[in-house]
Amino acid sequence: MLDPYSKLLRKLDRPPSGPNWVRFIQEDPLQTAREIWSFVRGRPPFTYGPSYRILKDRIELGIDPDTARLAASTKGAPIGRVHNREFVDAFLEYESHRQYSASSHIGFETEYFRISRDIVVPIAPLSVIRERGRFVPIFVCGWSTNPLRLRQRRLLMTIYEDAFLSITDFQSSPAEILFFPKFDSQREAEPWLRGDYDLLPQSELDECVEIFLEARELVRRRIIEERDSVRPTEYPDE
C-alpha cells in the first residue's frame, strides 16, 4: 500500500484535464505552486462526471430532457446532485436553441498536450458530431463560475488546438467550448467558438509550460520535505 506522500507525488505526476490544468497557470511559479498544492492535497466533495455522461447521451442518443434531469437528480454523490442538476438544466436550455444533431456522431481517442517526456495533460471533447459535412468537437466544462483570465483562455484554446484540433480530421472543423457559470442564482451558457480567442505564440506557450514545471518542482520538494520530517507511524490520515 502506498503511503499518503507517495500518493500525493503520483497525483502530482498526473495533471487534470485541460480547463483544470489551465487554472493552475498563474503569472509566476510561486502562485502556480499554490494552485497545484491545493489540487494535490484537495478532495473535491463531488464531481460533474454524472452530468458529463448525461449530456453525452443527450447529444449522441437524444435522451429526453426529463430522463436527463432525473438522472442528474439521482446519480453521483448526494452532495453534488443539486449542482449536477443545475448544470444539466442549463445545458438543456442552451441545447433547446442550439439543437445538436443526435443522428451522426463519431468515436475518438483522448489526446494529450505534452508538458514533458513523462507529463501530459489529457484533452478530449465531450462528443464529436457531424454537421453539414464537417466534424464538430464539443468541449464542456461544468464549473459554476468561469474564473479564467484572458491569458488562461488563450492558453486553453491553444492546448485544445495543439492536442486535438490539429488532428487531420479536425483541422478545418468548427469547435465549441461550453461553460455554464452561475449569474445571481441562474446558470447561463457561455459558448466559445474556435477562433474567438487568439492562440498563444510558441514563446508564451513555452513560458506557461516552464512556469508549470517550476511550480511542480516546488510542490514536489514540499511533499518530500513533509514526508521526510515524519516517521511512517505518524503519517496523517489519508
Side-chain angles (χ1 to χ4, degrees), residues 22 25-28 148-158 197-201 203-209 211:
V22 164
I25 310 303
Q26 305 298 315
E27 297 303 315
D28 61 61
L148 299 182
R149 300 186 307 278
L150 177 59
R151 190 186 194 203
Q152 291 173 314
R153 293 173 182 230
R154 293 177 64 197
L155 175 59
L156 180 60
M157 295 303 295
T158 302
Y197 291 97
D198 292 335
L199 303 182
L200 293 179
S203 59
E204 288 191 48
L205 179 60
D206 291 344
E207 180 184 13
C208 291
V209 169
I211 286 173

Side-chain angles (χ1 to χ4, degrees), residues 164-183:
F164 198 91
L165 298 177
S166 61
I167 295 172
T168 301
D169 287 343
F170 307 122
Q171 287 180 355
S172 61
S173 295
E176 297 180 17
I177 299 85
L178 303 178
F179 294 85
F180 295 89
K182 183 179 290 189
F183 297 96

Side-chain angles (χ1 to χ4, degrees), residues 53-84:
R53 292 187 288 272
I54 293 164
L55 301 187
K56 184 177 178 68
D57 286 347
R58 172 63 182 170
I59 293 171
E60 297 182 354
L61 305 178
I63 65 170
D64 66 82
D66 288 342
T67 299
R69 292 188 181 98
L70 177 62
S73 300
T74 56
K75 304 293 184 181
I79 195 173
R81 289 173 187 170
V82 63
H83 303 284
N84 277 274

Side-chain angles (χ1 to χ4, degrees), residues 187-202:
R187 282 189 184 236
E188 298 179 14
E190 182 186 321
W192 304 356
L193 302 179
R194 192 176 188 180
D196 280 355
Y197 291 97
D198 292 335
L199 303 182
L200 293 179
Q202 189 63 48

Side-chain angles (χ1 to χ4, degrees), residues 1-237:
M1 179 181 295
L2 291 176
D3 68 72
Y5 295 103
S6 295
K7 291 181 179 180
L8 295 179
L9 291 169
R10 186 169 64 174
K11 188 174 181 180
L12 182 62
D13 289 339
R14 297 179 178 178
S17 61
N20 289 294
W21 179 77
V22 164
R23 285 184 73 165
F24 293 161
I25 310 303
Q26 305 298 315
E27 297 303 315
D28 61 61
L30 186 57
Q31 294 179 66
T32 302
R34 294 191 186 103
E35 298 293 327
I36 298 173
W37 178 256
S38 295
F39 163 72
V40 298
R41 294 304 301 255
R43 291 183 179 180
F46 69 93
T47 74
Y48 287 106
S51 290
Y52 293 138
R53 292 187 288 272
I54 293 164
L55 301 187
K56 184 177 178 68
D57 286 347
R58 172 63 182 170
I59 293 171
E60 297 182 354
L61 305 178
I63 65 170
D64 66 82
D66 288 342
T67 299
R69 292 188 181 98
L70 177 62
S73 300
T74 56
K75 304 293 184 181
I79 195 173
R81 289 173 187 170
V82 63
H83 303 284
N84 277 274
R85 172 62 186 267
E86 289 174 351
F87 177 29
V88 168
D89 281 342
F91 178 88
L92 292 172
E93 172 63 24
Y94 172 77
E95 198 269 340
S96 69
H97 304 288
R98 172 59 175 80
Q99 295 188 336
Y100 292 110
S101 171
S103 61
S104 183
H105 61 273
I106 66 167
F108 56 87
E109 299 292 334
T110 297
E111 301 295 337
Y112 298 91
F113 174 69
R114 186 161 295 280
I115 301 296
S116 67
R117 185 179 64 181
D118 301 318
I119 306 298
V120 295
V121 177
I123 303 291
L126 180 73
S127 180
V128 177
I129 63 174
R130 183 191 289 271
E131 284 186 330
R132 293 182 285 278
R134 293 191 296 178
F135 295 128
V136 182
I138 303 166
F139 298 85
V140 180
C141 181
W143 300 340
S144 61
T145 63
N146 186 352
L148 299 182
R149 300 186 307 278
L150 177 59
R151 190 186 194 203
Q152 291 173 314
R153 293 173 182 230
R154 293 177 64 197
L155 175 59
L156 180 60
M157 295 303 295
T158 302
I159 66 174
Y160 279 165
E161 192 77 32
D162 179 277
F164 198 91
L165 298 177
S166 61
I167 295 172
T168 301
D169 287 343
F170 307 122
Q171 287 180 355
S172 61
S173 295
E176 297 180 17
I177 299 85
L178 303 178
F179 294 85
F180 295 89
K182 183 179 290 189
F183 297 96
D184 296 326
S185 60
Q186 185 86 18
R187 282 189 184 236
E188 298 179 14
E190 182 186 321
W192 304 356
L193 302 179
R194 192 176 188 180
D196 280 355
Y197 291 97
D198 292 335
L199 303 182
L200 293 179
Q202 189 63 48
S203 59
E204 288 191 48
L205 179 60
D206 291 344
E207 180 184 13
C208 291
V209 169
E210 186 62 29
I211 286 173
F212 172 77
L213 289 174
E214 290 184 28
R216 174 177 166 272
E217 182 58 26
L218 291 174
V219 174
R220 175 178 291 278
R221 290 176 189 168
R222 180 172 176 180
I223 293 171
I224 291 173
E225 288 171 0
E226 285 197 6
R227 181 195 64 189
D228 293 346
S229 70
V230 300
R231 295 189 301 272
T233 56
E234 296 174 334
Y235 283 157
D237 292 338

